[in-house]
Amino acid sequence: PDTQMPIGSTFKLYVLATLAQDVTEGRRSWDDLVSIGDNRSFPSGMMQDWPTNAPVTLHTLACLMISISDNTATEVLIDELGRDAILRTLVESGHSQPSLNDPFLKTREMFLLKSGPEGRLRAYMRGDKDVRQQVLDGIEDIALPRGQIEAAFSGAPIALNVEWFANAQDIANLLRFMRKTAHPEAFSILAINPSMPTQLRDKWAYAGYKGGSEPGVLNLTWLLQDEAGQDHALILSWRDDKTRFDPAALELIAQRLLALHP
């Protein structure tokens, strides 16, 4: 539980936690409207194909970010909240090595780093946070065809040190932090897609889920509550720098664990 692992889109829990704390403290409202700009990310998701300047609520963005892991929805929220605010959430929630996520990557930046020139990717991996930020400056304006991105991520794992990192205890701490600071609607959003069969879902009073993956990376994270009101977390991560593994193996282990409780 103390091993730092790449977590893929599970990092979006930190974005949700930041937004939900802002709502609790009155800085934002779920029905605040923002516009989708020109800088789109790549799938997963659907919002990359929505019209430019389409007005959307923060609630809609959060729902798509969590339930279908929409990357463009995530970019809009990161721009709205600011990287520094999300990094503060890492620190305040008790992340054991927040510097691993500084600067806080956007999904488009990650795609462009891993699909672009090797020299740029090497400079990012070898640099300190200031060098990494310099590499990122302006990278979002680079235009790459979607097919080039899809080709890069259809093969073997690429540079798994360029990712979002947390260990299982960090994620458990984040869920505990959210119980204290997040607006309750955040947990309704987490529950949209519980990622388990109905017969297992029905055993729990509450089930929320977020996972993340890319070739060589898989994270599965559940927040579960039993009938007595006790919270539980199930958090599994897998990393393989050489092989594009089948995620079903870990997913089946997770389902067997879920079946043991409560």
Side-chain angles (χ1 to χ4, degrees):
D2 58 355
T3 300
Q4 290 292 328
M5 298 284 279
I7 59 172
S9 284
T10 302
F11 86 86
K12 294 167 185 175
L13 287 175
Y14 287 99
V15 181
L16 179 64
T18 305
L19 172 59
Q21 185 174 11
D22 275 4
V23 173
T24 295
E25 296 177 359
R27 289 187 291 274
R28 302 179 197 278
S29 173
W30 291 114
D31 57 7
D32 287 348
L33 281 174
V34 296
S35 295
I36 305 172
D38 292 325
N39 278 333
R40 310 300 176 94
S41 191
F42 301 92
S44 56
M46 64 172 75
M47 200 169 273
Q48 70 277 353
D49 298 319
W50 285 23
T52 300
N53 297 322
V56 290
T57 66
L58 297 181
H59 190 275
T60 298
L61 291 167
C63 287
L64 290 175
M65 174 180 71
I66 297 299
S67 65
I68 64 169
S69 211
D70 194 296
N71 288 326
T72 295
T74 307
E75 308 295 87
V76 176
L77 284 173
I78 293 174
D79 285 341
E80 180 71 14
L81 298 166
R83 297 183 207 250
D84 289 345
I86 300 168
L87 282 169
R88 279 198 301 274
T89 297
L90 268 78
V91 173
E92 292 173 1
S93 66
H95 194 292
S96 54
Q97 290 183 260
S99 61
L100 294 175
N101 299 288
D102 188 5
F104 196 82
L105 271 176
K106 297 180 181 179
T107 63
R108 180 177 175 85
E109 292 168 342
M110 187 273 282
F111 284 123
L112 292 172
L113 280 169
K114 296 192 180 189
S115 304
E118 288 187 16
R120 183 169 62 207
L121 180 59
R122 274 198 306 272
Y124 185 89
M125 289 192 293
R126 294 174 179 174
D128 60 16
K129 71 173 184 177
D130 294 328
V131 170
R132 294 195 295 269
Q133 185 58 62
Q134 290 172 12
V135 173
L136 294 181
D137 288 343
I139 195 172
E140 285 186 287
D141 298 327
I142 295 172
L144 285 182
R146 186 183 296 185
Q148 183 172 335
I149 302 291
E150 292 172 350
F153 283 83
S154 65
I158 304 171
L160 298 188
N161 288 330
V162 179
E163 251 278 355
W164 300 268
F165 287 88
N167 63 37
Q169 189 59 59
D170 294 333
I171 298 174
N173 287 342
L174 174 64
L175 297 172
R176 186 179 294 111
F177 177 78
M178 290 179 68
R179 281 299 199 197
K180 295 177 181 177
T181 65
H183 188 276
E185 186 65 14
F187 300 102
S188 298
I189 292 169
L190 272 178
I192 294 171
N193 177 13
S195 194
M196 66 176 75
T198 302
Q199 64 269 26
L200 291 183
R201 169 63 189 88
D202 290 345
K203 295 176 64 176
W204 297 95
Y206 171 85
Y209 171 80
K210 185 73 191 86
S213 65
E214 67 163 304
V217 170
L218 181 63
N219 174 270
L220 309 170
T221 290
W222 282 271
L223 173 63
L224 306 157
Q225 190 177 84
D226 61 28
E227 294 294 342
Q230 177 66 47
D231 276 341
H232 306 261
L234 177 60
I235 302 159
L236 301 91
S237 288
W238 192 0
R239 172 178 181 165
D240 189 327
D241 288 77
K242 296 180 179 180
T243 304
R244 184 186 179 93
F245 55 73
D246 179 2
L250 190 61
E251 290 165 355
L252 288 171
I253 291 171
Q255 299 300 332
R256 290 177 67 187
L257 288 167
L258 289 167
L260 294 174
H261 296 281

